[in-house]
Amino acid sequence: MILANAPLCAICEANGQTTPAQEVDHIVPRSADPDRFTDPSNLWGLCRGCHQTKTQLERRGVDLDDRDRWTIAVLLKSGRISPREYAAGVRGDKI
């Protein structure tokens, strides 16, 4: 249902790319808030690369609670935007 309604990776799309979403992810992890496990507002479609990067950040203790912050964190971590670009709004203005 999530991927049918939003077929593009939410993080890539925020960065101006059209990458198919392949996996459904919990914005707030299940372990952090089990009550939101099936809450549609806590789910988004991501491509495998963005999902893997987000999972790595979570395993390192990064604890973010909304789409915008996760989008920025994944784009910075993956090198698709630099801290300087984000601060200057060069590509971060799409976020």
Side-chain angles (χ1 to χ4, degrees):
M1 180 85 142
I2 298 297
L3 297 180
N5 291 334
L8 298 178
C9 172
I11 292 174
C12 290
E13 189 173 27
N15 196 39
Q17 300 167 313
T18 54
T19 308
Q22 299 158 310
E23 301 174 3
V24 176
D25 177 66
H26 294 86
I27 298 165
V28 176
R30 294 177 291 190
S31 59
D33 190 352
D35 293 335
R36 294 189 68 193
F37 179 70
T38 58
D39 178 1
S41 70
N42 189 43
L43 302 172
W44 60 348
L46 299 178
C47 66
R48 283 192 182 95
C50 287
H51 189 231
Q52 288 173 345
T53 301
K54 180 179 178 282
T55 300
Q56 288 172 356
L57 289 168
E58 288 173 331
R59 288 181 180 155
R60 291 182 182 158
V62 176
D63 183 20
L64 303 174
D65 62 357
D66 69 43
R67 292 171 188 258
D68 292 339
R69 288 192 245 172
W70 272 120
T71 297
I72 293 164
V74 170
L75 290 174
L76 288 169
K77 168 78 172 124
S78 65
R80 287 190 276 167
I81 62 171
S82 71
R84 182 176 294 168
E85 286 175 318
Y86 173 67
V90 174
R91 289 173 53 197
D93 63 334
K94 297 176 187 170
I95 299 171

